[in-house]
């Protein structure tokens, strides 16, 4: 079966394991140093496919065979140890036995680092994800670079479990509680990564050294360990049944809170962690193999790999983006407005572009409040050690404010973030055009209004572009870049270049009402609200989508967005498409009453309907079941996405999915949304056909 695996991964970029003999300092003897390197720079990390694993096995055998060798060490090319399994190959596995064999191969190869004739040392010099970190866990000792970033066991995020030893080794190294954090909680929390110092603090690494001379210092430390000058002592972990059960229960609560049982990976990971307290290494590894076999043959993993590919590749090469060479330099940024959104934008722009950023507003009080907020946030970053004193002073000096738009005269990029009303925005653009240079890009952060109409009264509408961020700006990585019929290539290229410098993922969208994310969400929430208006109990309607494992329920999302904003978007879409986007009278009453949302919250954080809100609601007599609400809502979403694709709002269904992943935080196990609509049959029931071909973001079935 091992030889068969090579045919499953036909396009594997093989990572070579180079072996060289080094003389350790302090007369400690000779060590064999294995360096993983796929021959590419750090932008293409080492990955672990079958051919790579077999090559590593040969390298380990050769290292042990070096005459007089006293230790074997493993490290990676600059900045990278390994980024885990070859995910593209994983998506090509067609039989469960192949997945199990891949798990066994990894265990066999990595196990040689744990069961060799001499001690082994993992020198974690940079990124170590999944299997990359599991290589290190199998070694006798571990060092980590303080400069290392991107260290994690992210498998649960993608729909897998740590399948090459991590689910058994990690809890037995650092305890169940910390292991649950690394394997489950971090993965479910936007795939949170660890840095080198955190890896040492958790006890995953035995020593941490600065990046400049990391290899030399690690080998010196290894020599000290081998000589007995340094004795590695690890804290005793709490192996009591109560501590282990509490950790697993905490992980299950975290998974339930986010996913409601929608995808199996975190629960399988928790089962493995729970068993790791009592089962042998061999039985623990065998259980990992079986879990890998089940999960690799599930659609959730295929959707996760599809989503990962979208966020890592398509997001970096946006469909329809013009030639980058057309982008103009941006040496000063203007922001019209000084409210919370504008202030968030100012902080982002000054941190990423490091150019002067000027906010304007109607009066000095608002300007001072906005600038003060940005300065305070910079101070917080400095207090946390994320900015040096010099950087803090520099960024603070770059942010200023004014009540006079004349300060934008030398700006290259001005974005408005004022009240969402067409006449207000048109007036702002007219005032800007009177003072800015002919080349200055005028951008709007509108969430739903027509960018074309906004620019229609300008002398140079070709320099206007939509540049729609999502709240909170610092967290959600999407920017919808809206091109009108008049937007020229230089403006568009500049917008994409700015987005990239901001470390955002940009998707080009047509200038259609509410663009992508808000249009999909509004259709979804509209159907849920309609069910409630017709008579479905509010709790039933709100929880109907729980089986999808979305980040929050529709009515909680409504509260986060704000009923007034949601109403505005709903009315905008109703004006454009009255048949598909009704406006709830109950929503109108909520807004009129100044209510922050439908639910109130008790001391335990549980939602309930207070008497005042209940009195506002008028419901009919038709109560649907949760299944009926879900089918209707998802059918409406599928219908809307099909229309959006037919209208050319985006280039392909993949762009819809990318927007929902990055702009709405929808989970990877859904693949965004179209893979789920396909595999659940909703797409065909609602629109007559799938969005993606069979086998894309799903298991190919005969």
């Amino acid at each position: 079966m091992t030889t068969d695996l090579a045919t499953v991964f036909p396009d594997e970029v093989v990572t070579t394991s180079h072996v060289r003999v080094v003389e350790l300092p302090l007369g400690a003897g000779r060590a064999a140093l294995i360096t993983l390197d796929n021959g590419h720079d750090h932008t293409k990390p080492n990955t672990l496919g079958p051919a790579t694993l077999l090559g590593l096995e040969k390298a380990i055998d050769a290292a042990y065979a070096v005459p007089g060798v006293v230790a074997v060490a493993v490290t990676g090319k600059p900045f990278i140890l390994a980024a885990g399994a070859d995910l593209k190959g994983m998506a090509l596995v067609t039989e469960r036995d192949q997945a199990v064999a891949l798990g066994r191969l990894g265990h066999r190869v990595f196990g040689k680092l744990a069961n060799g004739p001499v001690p082994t040392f993992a020198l974690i010099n940079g990124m170590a994800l999944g299997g990359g970190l599991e290589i290190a866990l199998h070694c006798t000792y571990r060092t980590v670079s303080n400069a290392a970033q991107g260290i994690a066991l992210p498998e649960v995020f993608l729909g897998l479990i740590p399948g090459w030893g991590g689910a058994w080794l990690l809890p037995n190294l650092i305890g169940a509680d910390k292991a649950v954090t690394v394997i489950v909680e971090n993965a479910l929390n936007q795939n949170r990564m660890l840095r080198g110092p955190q890896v040492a603090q958790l006890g995953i690494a035995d020593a941490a050294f600065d990046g400049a001379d990391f290899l030399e210092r690690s080998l010196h430390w290894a020599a000290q360990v081998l000589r007995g000058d340094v004795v590695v002592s690890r804290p005793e972990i709490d192996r009591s049944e109560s501590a282990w059960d509490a950790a697993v229960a905490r992980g299950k609560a975290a998974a339930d809170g986010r996913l409601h049982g929608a995808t199996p990976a975190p629960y399988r990971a928790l089962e493995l962690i729970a068993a790791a307290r009592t089962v042998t290494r061999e039985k623990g590894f065998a259980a990992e193999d079986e879990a890998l076999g089940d999960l690799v043959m599930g659609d959730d993993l295929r959707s996760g790999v599809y989503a990962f590919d979208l966020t890592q590749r398509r997001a970096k090469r946006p469909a329809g983006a013009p030639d980058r060479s057309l982008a103009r330099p941006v040496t000063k940024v203007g922001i019209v407005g000084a409210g919370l959104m504008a202030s968030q934008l100012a902080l982002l722009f000054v941190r990423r572009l490091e150019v002067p950023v000027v906010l304007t507003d109607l009066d000095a009080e608002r300007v001072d409040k906005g600038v003060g907020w940005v300065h305070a946030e910079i101070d917080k970053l400095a207090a946390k050690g994320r900015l040096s004193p010099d950087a803090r002073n520099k960024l603070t000096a770059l942010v200023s404010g004014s009540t006079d738009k004349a300060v934008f005269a030398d700006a290259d990029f001005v974005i408005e973030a004022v009240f969402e009303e067409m006449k207000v925005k048109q007036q702002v653009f007219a005032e800007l055009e009177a003072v800015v240079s002919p080349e200055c890009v005028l951008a709007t952060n509108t969430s739903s209004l027509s960018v074309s109409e906004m620019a229609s009264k300008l002398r140079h509408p070709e320099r206007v572009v939509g540049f729609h961020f999502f709240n909170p700006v610092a967290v959600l990585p999407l920017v919808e870049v809206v091109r009108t019929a008049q937007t020229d290539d230089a403006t568009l290229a500049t917008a994409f270049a700015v987005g990239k410098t901001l470390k955002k993922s940009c998707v080009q969208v047509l200038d259609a009402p509410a663009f992508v994310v808000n249009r999909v969400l509004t259709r979804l929430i509209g159907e849920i609200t309609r069910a409630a208006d017709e008579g479905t109990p509010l709790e039933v309607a709100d929880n109907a989508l729980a089986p999808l494992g979305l980040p929050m329920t529709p009515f909680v999302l409504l509260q986060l967005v704000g009923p007034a904003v949601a109403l505005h978007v709903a009315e905008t879409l109703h004006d454009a498409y009255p048949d598909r986007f009704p406006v709830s009278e109950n929503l109108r009453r909520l807004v009129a009453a100044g209510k922050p949302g439908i639910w109130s919250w008790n001391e335990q954080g549980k939602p309930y309907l207070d008497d005042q809100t209940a009195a506002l609601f008028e419901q009919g007599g038709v109560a649907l079941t949760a299944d009926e609400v879900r089918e209707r809502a998802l059918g409406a979403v599928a219908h809307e996405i099909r229309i959006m694709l037919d209208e050319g709002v985006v280039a392909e269904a993949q762009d819809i999915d990318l927007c929902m992943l990055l702009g709405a935080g929808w989970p990877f196990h859904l693949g965004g949304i179209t893979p789920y609509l396909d595999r659940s049959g909703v797409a065909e029931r609602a629109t007559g056909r799938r969005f993606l071909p069979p086998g894309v973001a799903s298991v190919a079935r005969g």
Side-chain angles (χ1 to χ4, degrees):
M1 180 60 76
T2 297
T3 54
D4 293 345
L5 289 174
T7 62
V8 178
F9 290 64
D11 299 321
E12 178 184 351
V13 177
V14 177
T15 296
T16 304
S17 298
H18 302 278
V19 183
R20 65 185 175 101
V21 178
V22 297
E23 289 292 337
L24 292 170
L26 307 175
R30 310 172 80 203
L33 178 64
I34 301 172
T35 303
L36 305 177
D37 191 343
N38 63 4
H40 299 272
D41 66 18
H42 68 280
T43 62
K44 192 159 191 175
N46 301 326
T47 53
L48 305 169
T52 295
L53 291 173
L54 292 171
L56 176 58
E57 184 174 40
K58 290 179 181 177
I60 295 169
D61 291 342
Y64 286 143
V66 173
V69 71
V70 297
V72 171
V74 182
T75 192
K77 69 181 184 181
F79 313 112
I80 309 284
L81 178 57
D86 181 346
L87 290 175
K88 291 180 72 175
M90 282 281 196
L92 299 175
V93 173
T94 57
E95 298 176 16
R96 186 181 186 279
D97 287 349
Q98 294 170 336
V100 173
L102 187 62
R104 290 174 179 164
L105 176 61
H107 282 126
R108 186 185 87 202
V109 174
F110 294 175
K112 291 191 173 187
L113 292 168
N115 303 313
V118 296
T120 53
F121 294 80
L123 316 181
I124 306 171
N125 63 310
M127 177 187 287
L129 297 173
L133 183 55
E134 285 170 306
I135 288 174
L137 290 173
H138 280 268
C139 290
T140 318
Y141 305 103
R142 287 160 291 281
T143 66
V144 67
S145 168
N146 282 323
Q149 301 182 49
I151 302 173
L153 292 174
E155 289 87 350
V156 164
F157 180 70
L158 295 169
L160 281 175
I161 48 93
W164 285 336
W168 189 90
L169 291 168
L170 191 64
N172 280 297
L173 176 67
I174 64 173
D177 194 61
K178 292 178 181 177
V180 164
T181 297
V182 174
I183 293 173
V184 177
E185 286 188 307
N186 284 359
L188 296 181
N189 191 9
Q190 298 292 318
N191 201 20
R192 178 181 290 167
M193 305 281 174
L194 301 172
R195 298 173 180 266
Q198 295 171 298
V199 171
Q201 290 163 9
L202 284 167
I204 298 173
D206 300 303
F209 302 111
D210 289 341
D213 54 355
F214 170 71
L215 181 60
E216 292 78 5
R217 292 193 63 185
S218 291
L219 292 175
H220 186 273
W221 181 83
Q224 291 177 301
V225 172
L226 293 166
R227 283 166 47 91
D229 300 336
V230 169
V231 177
V232 176
S233 61
R234 294 169 182 149
E236 189 77 23
I237 64 171
D238 188 343
R239 304 193 64 84
S240 68
E241 184 176 357
S242 59
W244 221 268
D245 289 349
V248 172
R250 184 173 63 81
K252 185 176 185 301
D256 287 344
R258 288 182 176 273
L259 299 170
H260 313 289
T263 188
Y267 302 97
R268 290 298 291 269
L270 289 166
E271 289 173 10
L272 293 169
I273 294 171
R277 186 179 74 89
T278 55
V279 303
T280 63
R281 176 189 295 243
E282 291 71 24
K283 287 185 177 179
F285 288 0
E288 289 179 3
D289 294 336
E290 294 302 315
L292 204 64
D294 292 341
L295 294 172
V296 168
M297 296 310 296
D299 286 330
D300 287 19
L301 180 273
R302 307 307 170 102
S303 290
V305 173
Y306 164 85
F308 182 80
D309 189 68
L310 290 181
T311 59
Q312 296 301 307
R313 291 182 176 85
R314 192 176 185 91
K316 294 173 182 176
R317 295 188 291 274
D323 193 310
R324 297 176 185 175
S325 65
L326 297 174
R328 302 189 186 104
V330 174
T331 60
K332 180 178 177 180
V333 172
I335 299 176
V336 184
L340 181 57
M341 174 58 82
S343 300
Q344 290 184 73
L345 296 180
L347 179 65
L348 178 67
F349 275 94
V350 75
R351 287 192 69 197
R352 301 297 186 211
L353 271 63
E354 296 186 346
V355 300
V357 175
V358 186
L359 298 94
T360 64
D361 213 318
L362 298 175
D363 56 61
E365 182 180 353
R366 297 185 200 192
V367 171
D368 292 344
K369 183 178 179 181
V371 173
W373 184 91
V374 178
H375 287 170
E377 291 299 307
I378 293 172
D379 288 343
K380 290 178 187 176
L381 291 169
K384 294 176 183 176
R386 294 173 63 185
L387 290 176
S388 69
D390 286 347
R392 171 194 169 280
N393 293 337
K394 176 184 176 182
L395 295 184
T396 300
L398 286 172
V399 180
S400 62
S402 176
T403 57
D404 187 353
K405 294 185 180 66
V407 294
F408 298 143
D410 56 345
D412 305 298
F413 189 98
V414 180
I415 183 168
E416 68 77 22
V418 299
F419 183 67
E420 194 79 341
E421 205 279 317
M422 181 60 72
K423 290 183 179 178
V424 173
K425 292 181 183 288
Q426 286 179 329
Q427 180 182 344
V428 165
F429 273 170
E431 292 171 355
L432 289 173
E433 191 172 52
V435 297
V436 300
S437 69
E439 293 78 26
C440 178
V441 171
L442 299 182
T444 171
N445 185 46
T446 183
S447 59
S448 61
L449 297 177
S450 167
V451 180
S452 301
E453 185 179 350
M454 217 175 289
S456 62
K457 298 181 180 180
L458 299 180
R459 296 190 304 276
H460 296 287
E462 70 278 359
R463 53 137 128 230
V464 176
V465 65
F467 207 62
H468 179 220
F469 291 84
F470 292 82
N471 202 13
V473 170
V475 175
L476 293 173
L478 179 68
V479 173
E480 292 175 329
V481 178
V482 187
R483 182 172 195 168
T484 73
Q486 289 78 35
T487 307
D488 62 26
D489 284 348
T491 297
L492 198 65
T494 303
F496 275 106
V498 168
K500 183 177 182 181
T501 306
L502 294 175
K503 297 186 178 180
K504 295 295 184 183
S505 297
C506 297
V507 174
Q508 181 173 313
V509 303
L510 190 72
D511 185 23
F515 316 127
V516 173
V517 175
N518 284 340
R519 183 163 166 182
V520 171
L521 289 178
T522 302
R523 186 79 197 266
L524 180 71
I525 293 175
E527 288 299 324
I528 299 293
T529 305
R530 183 160 71 95
D533 292 349
E534 291 172 352
T536 301
L538 296 180
E539 313 85 58
V540 173
D542 196 28
N543 291 302
L545 300 177
L548 277 70
L550 296 177
M552 60 192 75
T553 68
F555 291 164
V556 174
L557 176 61
L558 179 70
Q559 187 144 358
L560 179 68
V561 171
V565 173
L567 177 61
H568 169 77
V569 176
E571 289 175 337
T572 299
L573 283 161
H574 176 74
D575 289 344
Y577 314 112
D579 294 341
R580 304 198 306 275
F581 289 89
V583 179
S584 166
E585 291 304 317
N586 283 322
L587 179 58
R588 289 191 200 275
R589 282 189 285 272
L590 272 181
V591 174
K595 285 289 183 180
I598 291 174
W599 299 126
S600 296
W601 306 88
N602 63 23
E603 293 179 357
Q604 290 74 42
K606 300 294 184 182
Y608 71 95
L609 189 67
D610 68 37
D611 293 340
Q612 288 183 331
T613 305
L616 296 172
F617 259 79
E618 296 179 8
Q619 293 183 281
V622 180
L624 303 180
T625 66
D627 288 346
E628 290 170 333
V629 174
R630 183 168 58 255
E631 177 72 15
R632 193 166 84 175
L634 292 177
V637 167
H639 181 230
E640 197 62 34
I641 290 173
R642 177 66 64 201
I643 293 171
M644 292 164 70
L645 293 172
D646 290 345
E647 291 175 350
V649 174
V650 290
E652 295 179 292
Q654 286 88 337
D655 294 309
I656 300 277
D657 292 326
L658 185 58
C659 285
M660 300 314 294
L661 289 163
L662 300 182
W666 283 16
F668 270 42
H669 69 260
L670 298 180
I673 187 59
T674 68
Y676 180 84
L677 296 174
D678 282 344
R679 72 177 187 243
S680 63
V682 170
E684 291 187 76
R685 290 194 296 273
T687 74
R689 63 190 193 276
R690 296 171 59 95
F691 290 105
L692 302 169
V696 175
S698 60
V699 178
R701 296 178 172 88

